[in-house]
Amino acid sequence: MKMKLAVLIVMIVTWIGSSFPLAEADSRSNPTSQTTVLVLVGEWFGDSYYALEKEIAAYGWQLVRVGVDQTCRGCYLKERNIELNSNILIKDITDFSAYRCLIIPSGPHFRKFVENQEVLEFVRSAYKAGLLIASFCTGNFVVNAAGITDFKDQSELSVTEVTLVKERVLFGPRGGGPPPGSGFAEAPVIDLCQAIAYELGLTHKTSAILTGTVGPYQVGFKLQEMSDPSRSYPNNAGGELTARRIRMYRWYPAAVSEQDKTRMTLRDYAMLAADDFGLMPPSGLAGDDELPPLPIPLEKGLDSRHVKELLQQPVAAIHDAPELVGQFPIVLIGQGLYYEAPFAQYALAEILAGQGYVVVTCPLMGSHYRLVNLNAADLETQVRDLEFCLGAVRSNSNVNPDRIGIVGFDLGGMAGLIMAMRQPEIKALVTLEAGILSPHFSGLPQKHPSYDESKFVIPWLHMTQSRFVSQDRAGTEQILIDRKKYGDSYLVSVPTTSHGAFSAYALFDIRGAINGYWEAQQTNQMLLHQSICRYVLTFYQGYLGNEPQALFALQHQKAPIASDLFQIEFKKGQPPHVLSETLVQLIIDQGMIAARPMIEQVQSNFPDCPAIEEPILNWLGYHFLYWWGREQEAIEVFRLMVDLFPDSSNAYDSLGEAYLRTRQHELALEKYRRALELDPNNRYAEAIIKQLSSN
């Protein structure tokens, strides 16, 4: 299937197997004659040159052919009787200031280029001079041979869509090739030129619209208005309390006929976001000319002259589309502070749904008002909101309730971590800029009562700004990925200083500073967010989709995520241990005789981590001894506690008490004496010993 890149501000780029047909780019009607690009050609240049020449002309750019020789032959439509003259020779360019970009197209000429040191030095010089380097197909090999990128595996050079693999370096996919390929007909010149235009800042923000899909599935969307009667929330300014309102956003694979493919627009998402927080006018909007309130970074960062046109751009989702029959994994998304509306993660949600996931989220709201406080109570509120959504969607016929993942951005990442620690059914976790690697100034998430790193045993992908990784590594404490023992872990350093790069707002490619959100940016935020989404999707394809090639790509940084932009650390975790809750329930249901072999096996496999914590065993033993009428089993529980905690005075004290209550006085005396040896200050044991010794 033909692969294309939709280089948009309004929608993210696709994944393997997807197709993104584009509407005609409006930027062509606004040519920029001052832009001059170099195109490197040589003997046996490829068919794609002519398609590239046509596209460059459509943008109004000046094309300058540069070569080693004055004349070179090509293979246009496989006929090797065509010639091109170089406008300038490589050796004659000593000053690159007149040029913005060097393009290296596909073609057999690459074989000579990679062996020609004059060519390779020319490419290096162009990059050092600040030019954007853009290549596709075999042209990628020339860039790599010049040392601008350092990919060791040739497969990493064969990208599936136009990708910013390094600052000022664009790689494009295969261009069709010789028979049985279709030559220039499939050359990705449209996508490449769109990417060049964006990187050079030459394209209007409403220059292109998405007219295809984000994966093999059509994407449906539904908003479900629900309420949680177990919690109350102020309904109006007068303080009247009602059940907590939950607006559940749900994206899913849809069953849509061709005539029903009426897609939503950015305006629809903006209106939903405003309605999340009661910002829409009571009477609604006065027609399509009135704009809904926008999230603050968009309101401040977008050119007001183009906002109306921008909001008319379609997205992938189709409102209220019928659901496709199937069993699809569930992915929850937790929103972040200042990015509370699900609009902030719409692109990731659509991409996942287009690839066969049911995606669920809700707005981030405080416990008692819209304001979200950085405390354990409001973190618990977000956790409960997400758990409510999970409970609502798990009963749907089109989900697989055994394959559940979470993506958490910012505070939503903390909520996702808490859910991963207390909900065994969660199978994988992604956290984006969540402030959890090292202690957060708020004390969260550690202040939350469910925080327990011993229960963090699932695969985990954490993505954050490169500078934060460096800062956390420089600290005196181990960061979370180093402390985590169980389940595979990935730490991805993203080269940006923008928190917003991890949200869909990055697709609007706002480079200017937005107070309270991000500082001025030099790099293309849209392409960064594209890569972030690609990592998230690959992770879930590996751990929820059970696709070995996705795991291989993550662990070896291979295509489709291969990039010099991001740095990824992989830590192979131990297999997850059986949770203590499972073992305790086994003891309660089947008794110690049945449960002990499994407990001993778990303890043998994980000697550094007690199978069941001492206080839990102690509490269970006393329930058996006094309140559940299972005195003999209480003895077995306390014997296990003594075996697991042989240096604990309390363990021997409890076992002694169980023997005493079952009138086994000699054994009781023995255990109380051992308890006193371990803790000479154990006055209770001392008193019982005197009592038993005098009888």
Side-chain angles (χ1 to χ4, degrees):
M1 183 178 291
K2 183 163 65 174
M3 310 300 301
K4 286 190 174 183
L5 167 70
V7 185
L8 313 167
I9 9 183
V10 299
M11 191 57 213
I12 195 69
V13 189
T14 189
W15 182 250
I16 295 177
S18 305
S19 178
F20 275 79
L22 289 173
E24 197 74 12
D26 295 343
S27 60
R28 300 196 205 184
S29 63
N30 183 31
T32 308
S33 58
Q34 294 80 7
T35 300
T36 303
V37 297
L38 292 167
V39 177
L40 182 62
V41 293
E43 187 74 358
W44 305 131
F45 62 88
D47 297 342
S48 60
Y49 168 79
Y50 291 97
L52 178 64
E53 182 182 61
K54 179 180 178 182
E55 193 66 18
I56 289 174
Y59 274 88
W61 303 338
Q62 181 180 355
L63 183 154
V64 175
R65 288 188 300 274
V66 58
V68 177
D69 304 309
Q70 188 62 52
T71 302
C72 56
R73 289 172 293 175
C75 45
Y76 185 63
L77 295 178
K78 315 297 182 295
E79 295 293 334
R80 303 200 172 199
N81 58 1
I82 193 80
E83 289 188 350
L84 277 178
N85 292 321
S86 299
N87 299 121
I88 191 170
L89 298 180
I90 283 175
K91 63 183 180 65
D92 294 330
I93 297 183
T94 57
D95 182 3
F96 289 91
S97 60
Y99 310 107
R100 302 288 305 280
C101 177
L102 170 63
I103 302 175
I104 307 174
S106 62
H109 57 186
F110 90 96
R111 300 185 186 280
K112 291 187 176 182
F113 285 165
V114 296
E115 296 176 353
N116 189 321
Q117 291 304 314
E118 182 183 10
V119 170
L120 299 181
E121 180 58 33
F122 171 75
V123 176
R124 286 191 290 268
S125 298
Y127 184 70
K128 290 177 183 177
L131 271 65
L132 174 69
I133 307 298
S135 59
F136 60 92
C137 195
T138 55
N140 302 343
F141 289 76
V142 181
V143 178
N144 203 59
I148 295 174
T149 57
D150 187 28
F151 294 119
K152 306 300 183 185
D153 190 331
Q154 285 193 358
S155 65
E156 296 172 318
L157 301 173
S158 301
V159 298
T160 56
E161 58 195 31
V162 176
T163 303
L164 188 69
V165 296
K166 183 177 182 178
E167 185 176 0
R168 290 188 292 108
V169 180
L170 288 166
F171 275 7
R174 191 170 185 264
S182 56
F184 76 94
E186 289 192 0
V189 296
I190 294 175
D191 300 340
L192 188 74
C193 286
Q194 287 173 339
I196 291 170
Y198 273 98
E199 281 301 299
L200 298 181
L202 302 176
T203 309
H204 289 314
K205 295 187 181 300
T206 55
S207 64
I209 62 173
L210 183 67
T211 59
T213 61
V214 290
Y217 298 99
Q218 295 291 330
V219 177
F221 171 80
K222 291 185 180 181
L223 176 71
Q224 293 177 251
E225 295 272 8
M226 300 180 293
S227 60
D228 182 356
S230 70
R231 293 179 289 162
S232 60
Y233 190 83
N235 190 43
N236 52 43
E240 177 187 352
L241 296 179
T242 62
R244 183 173 178 85
R245 178 193 185 204
I246 305 288
R247 283 166 58 89
M248 186 174 79
Y249 286 58
R250 180 161 61 94
W251 292 265
Y252 51 88
V256 184
S257 62
E258 288 297 323
Q259 61 267 29
D260 292 332
K261 291 182 181 178
T262 302
R263 292 186 290 130
M264 297 170 59
T265 65
L266 286 172
R267 177 187 173 87
D268 294 325
Y269 279 136
M271 292 174 65
L272 288 169
D275 202 34
D276 287 338
F277 305 106
L279 302 179
M280 288 290 287
S283 59
L285 300 179
D288 293 341
D289 289 335
E290 185 177 359
L291 298 177
L294 291 178
I296 294 300
L298 302 186
E299 181 182 316
K300 292 184 176 181
L302 294 175
D303 187 336
S304 60
R305 296 170 298 176
H306 301 298
V307 169
K308 180 181 176 182
E309 182 182 0
L310 176 62
L311 293 184
Q312 293 172 350
Q313 307 304 314
V315 292
I318 302 165
H319 194 268
D320 283 336
E323 299 177 21
L324 188 66
V325 175
Q327 290 279 294
F328 301 107
I330 302 169
V331 175
L332 294 167
I333 297 182
Q335 307 300 328
L337 282 174
Y338 325 123
Y339 300 79
E340 294 93 346
F343 188 12
Q345 296 296 336
Y346 86 89
L348 177 59
E350 290 188 345
I351 272 206
L352 290 171
Q355 294 292 331
Y357 296 82
V358 173
V359 184
V360 178
T361 188
C362 60
L364 173 60
M365 301 281 285
S367 301
H368 305 293
Y369 32 70
R370 177 184 173 183
L371 178 68
V372 180
N373 296 297
L374 276 173
N375 56 35
D378 277 15
L379 179 58
E380 171 65 9
T381 292
Q382 186 179 21
V383 171
R384 290 191 63 182
D385 286 351
L386 291 171
E387 289 176 339
F388 183 89
C389 290
L390 177 59
V393 77
R394 286 186 76 172
S395 61
N396 288 11
S397 61
N398 69 330
V399 303
N400 185 334
D402 297 323
R403 295 162 66 192
I404 304 172
I406 303 178
V407 177
F409 170 54
D410 189 80
L411 188 66
M414 294 185 179
L417 179 60
I418 295 300
M419 289 185 69
M421 290 175 171
R422 82 182 193 188
Q423 298 282 5
E425 65 266 31
I426 305 299
K427 303 304 182 186
L429 172 68
V430 173
T431 50
L432 307 174
E433 286 272 277
I436 58 177
L437 283 182
S438 59
H440 191 264
F441 71 87
S442 66
L444 297 175
Q446 287 83 354
K447 284 184 178 180
H448 192 282
S450 295
Y451 188 88
D452 183 351
E453 291 183 13
S454 70
K455 296 179 180 178
F456 188 22
V457 298
I458 60 175
W460 172 44
L461 171 71
H462 183 71
M463 304 187 74
T464 192
Q465 297 177 41
S466 302
R467 58 175 176 167
F468 294 157
V469 175
S470 300
Q471 292 169 10
D472 291 339
R473 286 285 190 203
T476 57
E477 298 183 24
Q478 275 192 326
I479 62 175
L480 182 57
I481 191 173
D482 295 331
R483 300 194 303 269
K484 184 172 181 283
K485 296 180 180 179
Y486 308 106
D488 294 344
S489 300
Y490 304 83
L491 175 58
V492 180
S493 301
V494 181
T496 183
T497 58
S498 172
H499 196 53
F502 299 84
S503 79
Y505 299 156
L507 299 180
F508 298 88
D509 202 29
I510 299 170
R511 304 285 181 100
I514 306 294
N515 289 336
Y517 284 89
W518 57 74
E519 57 192 62
Q521 299 297 305
Q522 299 300 317
T523 56
N524 189 316
Q525 299 301 289
M526 179 191 62
L527 292 179
L528 276 179
H529 193 66
Q530 165 200 341
S531 295
I532 290 168
C533 290
R534 187 182 293 115
Y535 270 83
V536 174
L537 179 59
T538 305
F539 176 80
Y540 277 127
Q541 286 178 322
Y543 289 101
L544 293 185
N546 299 319
E547 297 182 15
Q549 66 271 27
L551 295 180
F552 182 82
L554 278 171
Q555 293 165 14
H556 299 87
Q557 205 164 0
K558 301 293 184 181
I561 62 167
S563 171
D564 280 355
L565 277 178
F566 295 0
Q567 296 298 316
I568 183 168
E569 300 178 35
F570 168 60
K571 179 183 177 183
K572 183 69 177 175
Q574 299 178 32
H577 58 76
V578 178
L579 295 177
S580 63
E581 291 91 336
T582 303
L583 299 175
V584 170
Q585 191 62 47
L586 184 62
I587 296 171
I588 294 171
D589 289 345
Q590 301 183 26
M592 273 301 305
I593 294 177
R596 180 137 192 164
M598 178 179 286
I599 295 170
E600 290 176 346
Q601 183 62 50
V602 170
Q603 196 60 55
S604 174
N605 292 341
F606 305 97
D608 297 333
C609 180
I612 306 174
E613 296 290 343
E614 181 181 357
I616 295 174
L617 275 176
N618 198 55
W619 190 229
L620 176 63
Y622 276 107
H623 274 72
F624 280 176
L625 184 62
Y626 288 114
W627 303 303
W628 289 354
R630 298 166 68 171
E631 291 86 356
Q632 291 302 318
E633 289 181 85
I635 292 174
E636 296 303 317
V637 171
F638 291 132
R639 287 180 61 188
L640 173 66
M641 189 164 71
V642 164
D643 291 343
L644 294 180
F645 307 98
D647 298 326
S648 169
S649 172
N650 181 69
Y652 283 95
D653 188 296
S654 297
L655 180 56
E657 185 172 347
Y659 282 134
L660 182 63
R661 297 306 171 195
T662 56
R663 296 182 175 81
Q664 301 180 66
H665 291 168
E666 290 186 8
L667 288 173
L669 181 60
E670 176 187 331
K671 302 309 175 186
Y672 275 116
R673 283 173 173 165
R674 179 57 179 155
L676 188 61
E677 288 176 10
L678 291 170
D679 180 10
N681 295 320
N682 189 334
R683 300 305 174 205
Y684 179 76
E686 187 176 30
I688 296 297
I689 291 170
K690 287 181 180 180
Q691 177 185 333
L692 292 174
S693 298
S694 64
N695 292 337

